[in-house]
Amino acid sequence: MKTVRLNVLDRIGLHTRTATAIARAAACFEADIWVTNTNGKRADAKSPLALMTLGVKHGGEIELGAQGADADAAIDKLCTLIREF
Amino acid sequence: MDHCLRGIAVAPGAAVASLAWLDRSSDSAPAAFSPPTSPSSQREWLAAALSECQQAWSELTSTLRTRGDHDGATIFEANVALLDDPGLHGLVESYLVSGHKVTHAWAHAVNEQATALESLDDPLLRSRARDFRDLALEVQAILEGRSAVPLTASIPADCILVARRLTLPDAMRLDTSTLRGLCLVEGGGSDHVAIVVRGWGIPVVVGVPGLDASCTGKNAVLDGDAGVLVVDPNPRMLEQYQGRIERMQRFDLWARTWRRDPAVSRDGQPLKVYANVSAPTDVDATLGSGADGVGLLRTEFLCVDRSTLPTELEQTAYYRSLSQRLGKRRILVRTFDIGADKTLPYLALPPEANPALGCRGIRLALTRPHDLLFPQLRAILQGFAGNTARILLPMVSMLDEVVQVRAAGQAILEELDRVSVPRASAVEFGIMVETPAAALMIDRWADEIDFLSIGTNDLTQYVMAVDRGHTELSGLADAAHPPVLRLIDRVAKIARQHDIPLGVCGEFASTPVGVALLMGLGIDSLSVHPSAVPRTKALIRSLEREQVTRLARAAIDTHSVGEVYELLRQELDSDLWRDLLRSRPAPAMATTVDTREHSPYDQ
């Protein structure tokens, strides 16, 4: 299992566009991938709706976690993606 | 007895027609429909319904893209993608497994997910939840055996359409060629639907209470300027509105007929009307509109919908093709006006607390000259080979910014000459006057500047200290306020003294009030949206330069914007101008890359 903390820099945080982008990228991996917000609420990274319900705003901190065969690759890919927002 | 209902004006204009209520919920299942019963066939049924909807939605998205609405298409696609959400489908599955019918499973799963979004108390998410529900309803309709009745079949021609609300897909499906107006019971001015309908050219009013199916067939007046629907208007009101509509139609026809002629005032003073080009699709519109040239070529569209900056080669090809299509016409090329608020993720711009006051435009270009400034300058200077290259710099607030760009331009020219690459035969540098700093310093900078373009949208924002996208304070974001007029007057005087061509390219330039005041302040040219060119020329032709000059001088002397409008109403009292002054300025056309803080395409 691997976890990483990062900030979502997109101007409006985790909304449709960013949530869909993360879900699409996460769907390519077998691992279980999740995102946790600062309130401890956890969402399946492959579900854009769940990501949107985390209420992550511009600059908000999230914890990205993955467990499974390609967990490391998943984390790397998603981190790169989120940092480019 | 006439019945006057107030709402929110979304799109200007007036219409007199009969009302037609749109009620989608009356689509009923054909009697012979029997849904499948086994769980596996239920899943197949859902998959088939989804697939049918996805097909229809993807066609709608293509339509949006061909219309040039890339932002709209992207957001619609993102909304559509939500319907593939694994969490949603997991919920549906659990309902199916516990024995529910797929129609029930889908409806409840959608409701749970939408409610989760709505419960966060975030207006943007609530708006998304509504779009999500709307799309899910289309799937629901198919599951229940209701075929989507084509909208055009149920709407009579030449009517004012009335509905509780309009979903985005439905708005995109409407055949607007015979629609005279749109009136919605629910909704606000900045919903997605409002953005789409503004481009239709018919009056639209939303938030009008007290309407239902019983209004069908009644005669009505829809006033998209005042935001009012009058049902069963009395004869006098009918006559007034009909008169107004006929005058506007005659004016528009006159404007279209004579659009290719140069615009000359009634007392023989010419004023050039150029077009604002935001994307390649605007070039055809520009050529057909009668514009005298391009007063503002926005280049940001070259940067969107991709993952890297456009290369020098790509840019050169574009400028070259533009230069060839537009020939010797005047073209002002504005260098990239981007900043932290524009969604160009690959630039990895650090977020700013105040993007409107941050590192954008020429400032950003000068901090990243090798990827932003030099390639663009090189491309423009090569693309305009054989012609004059006119380079317009955005967000200038210091003379040094101009000096540096000129020096860079000079170095590039020398280099191109050294290797014998064809390049522009003449080069001019001009600045956007959008910061108060620039407006106040023009006299000292005159020697370094070949032409000027006042960006009234941003200038008004900075002078009146108001966010141009602010809804409650939108009355402040009006260039007719005397302080803004005074600054424009100052710039105009200095431009005249130093013989520097002066244009205006903001929204103000295409409004009747703007045309009158700017002409009166001695501006040389106006640059407007291609669709507004014919009308702008017609407005110029309807005015006397001498009269508006007196008007502008008086306007500068007033205490408030209210007095300015009062003056205009008193002085411009022809039937035509009385009608024109009644209209509010048309809202800005959505551009591909927008400097507004709260873009209507926010997700």
Side-chain angles (χ1 to χ4, degrees), chain B residues 68-287:
Chain B
D69 185 2
H70 296 282
D71 279 349
T74 310
I75 195 181
F76 188 62
E77 270 176 342
N79 282 330
V80 165
L82 289 179
L83 268 82
D84 282 335
D85 188 282
L88 172 68
H89 286 270
L91 265 179
V92 171
E93 183 60 29
S94 64
Y95 275 108
L96 286 177
V97 153
S98 24
H100 289 105
K101 291 278 188 306
V102 71
T103 46
H104 181 276
W106 180 252
H108 283 252
V110 165
N111 189 44
E112 274 184 48
Q113 294 279 19
T115 311
L117 285 180
E118 284 155 359
S119 66
L120 284 172
D121 204 26
D122 175 340
L124 274 179
L125 279 181
R126 247 202 304 281
S127 181
R128 281 304 65 67
R130 188 198 272 154
D131 290 339
F132 171 66
R133 285 185 192 273
D134 282 345
L135 290 175
L137 277 177
E138 302 207 349
V139 177
Q140 188 81 34
I142 297 178
L143 289 176
E144 290 172 7
R146 289 182 270 127
S147 56
V149 176
L151 271 184
T152 44
S154 49
I155 298 173
D158 285 323
C159 72
I160 294 168
L161 189 65
V162 190
R164 172 145 289 277
R165 49 184 303 259
L166 203 60
T167 66
L168 195 54
D170 277 349
M172 298 192 305
R173 287 185 186 112
L174 274 178
D175 175 9
T176 56
S177 54
T178 60
L179 200 60
R180 304 285 303 285
L182 176 67
C183 185
L184 300 177
V185 175
E186 293 176 10
S190 50
D191 292 347
H192 279 156
V193 176
I195 310 309
V196 169
V197 303
R198 269 193 197 115
W200 290 349
I202 56 173
V204 177
V205 181
V206 305
V208 179
L211 289 167
D212 58 29
S214 64
C215 71
T216 301
K218 296 203 175 135
N219 203 23
V221 163
L222 183 66
D223 187 334
D225 302 308
V228 153
L229 177 75
V230 184
V231 184
D232 283 331
N234 63 56
R236 212 180 118 251
M237 183 180 285
L238 258 181
E239 206 186 295
Q240 280 177 348
Y241 271 101
Q242 255 149 2
R244 209 172 115 191
I245 291 168
E246 267 160 48
R247 269 194 297 275
M248 283 294 106
Q249 281 172 348
R250 271 202 304 269
F251 182 71
D252 282 335
L253 180 62
W254 181 57
R256 262 199 322 278
T257 312
W258 299 105
R259 67 190 188 276
R260 297 189 194 279
D261 283 8
V264 177
S265 71
R266 277 171 58 183
D267 47 356
Q269 297 298 314
L271 194 66
K272 290 259 188 265
V273 178
Y274 300 122
N276 296 334
V277 171
S278 303
T281 43
D282 287 342
V283 179
D284 280 327
T286 299
L287 289 170

